[in-house]
Amino acid sequence: MRNVDVIGVQMDFGAGTRGVNMGPAAIRFAGLAKGIEELGLTCNDKGDLIPPQTGKTSDNMRCYEQVHAVNKKIFEEVTDSLEKGHFPVTLGGDHSIAAGSISATAGHYKNIGLIWVDAHGDWNNEESTMSGNMHGMPFSAVCGAGPDIMVNFGQEPVYVNTANCVQIAGRDIDPMERIRMKEHGVTVFSIADIDRMGMPAVIEKAIEIASRGTEGIHVSFDIDSITPESAPGTGTIVHSGLTVREAFYLVETLYASGKLLAFDMVEVNPMLDIRNRTGELAMELVLSILGKVVY
């Protein structure tokens, strides 16, 4: 990992609360580029992708045309990054953007593992959703369980094998999501599992599952996985999340595994933040996934 491509996405149409489109700016403002360079890496900031401001919508897939359009752009940017042998870091924006980034990683490597760090399951589709918000659907989409519009950009989608998928820090998973995730064989380490097992055991097992027979691991990190006292700037807060130290242990261990292929950091909403506390935390987590350690 020598060249890091930073791809921002000014996307909030997938969420129920506006403002998360400013997340990439908040993370950059906290000092991301300088931090990457201080690690001895080359930071290639590719700027921001911007979705169209109008488009078709429906009750069960709100703003689906904007979500599809921006994910197609993400897919192309991340594919280009991987083809150059670079490490792509995609900054959201709401979590719907992970459909494009993960589709690109899966398309490039063909056989990947996926670790999804999130308070929520994001395993709804157009039939199971309770809100119609598409940031609650990308995990399902990249595994081939719909909605197809999130991952089909004219190419033949390469889906992630759910036997290599792990969800960490779940504590607000819809009833139908829970059923669907179990039916499709997704491994879930809830916040209660982390309390019982400890983060070292959880992340060790997660890496083993996600790397078993794969080319490596795509990690998608939603800042709402962290307890809101430490990360207030996000739109769908849920109490009793990961501690800051648990979050850093998780990303530091992932880096040390040597199995990372790509990384998403999503759902930082500066409009809900306090003096960019959440943006700064997200920035530091990105640096840690790239190799920064606490001595």
Side-chain angles (χ1 to χ4, degrees):
M1 184 193 303
R2 293 296 306 170
N3 284 276
V4 178
D5 289 348
V6 176
I7 303 162
V9 191
Q10 294 185 26
M11 178 66 174
D12 64 358
F13 289 110
T17 303
R18 304 302 298 271
V20 73
N21 59 317
M22 295 183 285
I27 298 170
R28 287 190 179 98
F29 182 76
L32 181 63
K34 180 181 178 182
I36 291 173
E37 296 287 348
E38 288 177 348
L39 291 173
L41 305 171
T42 299
C43 178
N44 307 305
D45 195 326
K46 312 296 284 185
D48 285 354
L49 302 174
I50 302 174
Q53 295 304 297
T54 60
K56 295 177 182 177
T57 190
S58 68
D59 289 341
N60 57 352
M61 289 195 298
R62 296 177 60 248
C63 304
Y64 68 84
E65 198 162 57
Q66 289 103 317
V67 171
H68 171 81
V70 82
N71 270 305
K72 184 176 187 297
K73 293 179 181 179
I74 298 165
F75 174 83
E76 293 166 353
E77 285 287 344
V78 174
T79 296
D80 179 68
S81 176
L82 294 170
E83 288 178 348
K84 291 176 178 175
H86 296 181
F87 185 86
V89 174
T90 306
L91 305 177
D94 69 66
H95 216 159
S96 68
I97 70 167
S101 63
I102 295 167
S103 291
T105 307
H108 180 79
Y109 288 102
K110 307 306 179 188
N111 184 22
I112 69 168
L114 176 58
I115 294 179
W116 195 275
V117 188
D118 200 323
H120 308 91
D122 293 353
W123 243 89
N124 278 305
N125 62 9
E126 62 270 43
E127 296 176 355
S128 68
T129 181
M130 298 170 66
S131 68
N133 294 331
M134 295 190 74
H135 69 166
M137 305 181 189
F139 198 176
S140 172
V142 300
C143 293
D148 291 340
I149 195 171
M150 296 187 80
V151 293
N152 192 335
F153 314 116
Q155 89 294 9
E156 185 68 31
V158 176
Y159 299 116
V160 184
N161 186 345
T162 53
N164 300 117
C165 289
V166 182
Q167 202 276 357
I168 295 177
R171 56 194 189 279
D172 186 19
I173 298 176
D174 295 340
M176 277 305 300
E177 279 186 304
R178 189 175 292 110
I179 292 170
R180 297 182 75 240
M181 294 172 86
K182 186 173 182 179
E183 287 178 345
H184 285 83
V186 178
T187 298
V188 177
F189 291 110
S190 69
I191 202 72
D193 293 321
I194 295 168
D195 290 342
R196 183 175 63 255
M197 298 169 61
M199 180 56 77
V202 166
I203 191 58
E204 180 181 349
K205 185 62 177 176
I207 291 170
E208 191 276 323
I209 293 168
S211 61
R212 187 186 301 147
T214 69
E215 295 297 315
I217 303 170
H218 186 120
V219 178
S220 199
F221 195 110
D222 190 321
I223 202 71
D224 72 24
S225 61
I226 299 174
T227 198
E229 291 81 6
S230 299
T234 190
T236 48
I237 61 172
V238 186
H239 67 84
S240 306
L242 297 176
T243 66
V244 169
R245 187 59 223 142
E246 285 172 334
F248 276 102
Y249 187 91
L250 185 153
V251 294
E252 290 164 1
T253 306
L254 284 165
Y255 169 77
S257 74
K259 299 180 184 298
L260 294 177
L261 303 175
F263 184 67
D264 311 320
M265 172 58 70
V266 304
E267 297 286 358
V268 173
N269 190 330
M271 291 185 67
L272 304 175
D273 207 2
I274 301 169
R275 297 180 180 178
N276 206 30
R277 183 193 305 174
T278 310
E280 291 176 357
L281 175 58
M283 183 274 295
E284 290 289 350
L285 288 164
V286 173
L287 295 184
S288 291
I289 205 81
L290 297 174
K292 184 177 180 179
V293 296
V294 177
Y295 291 100

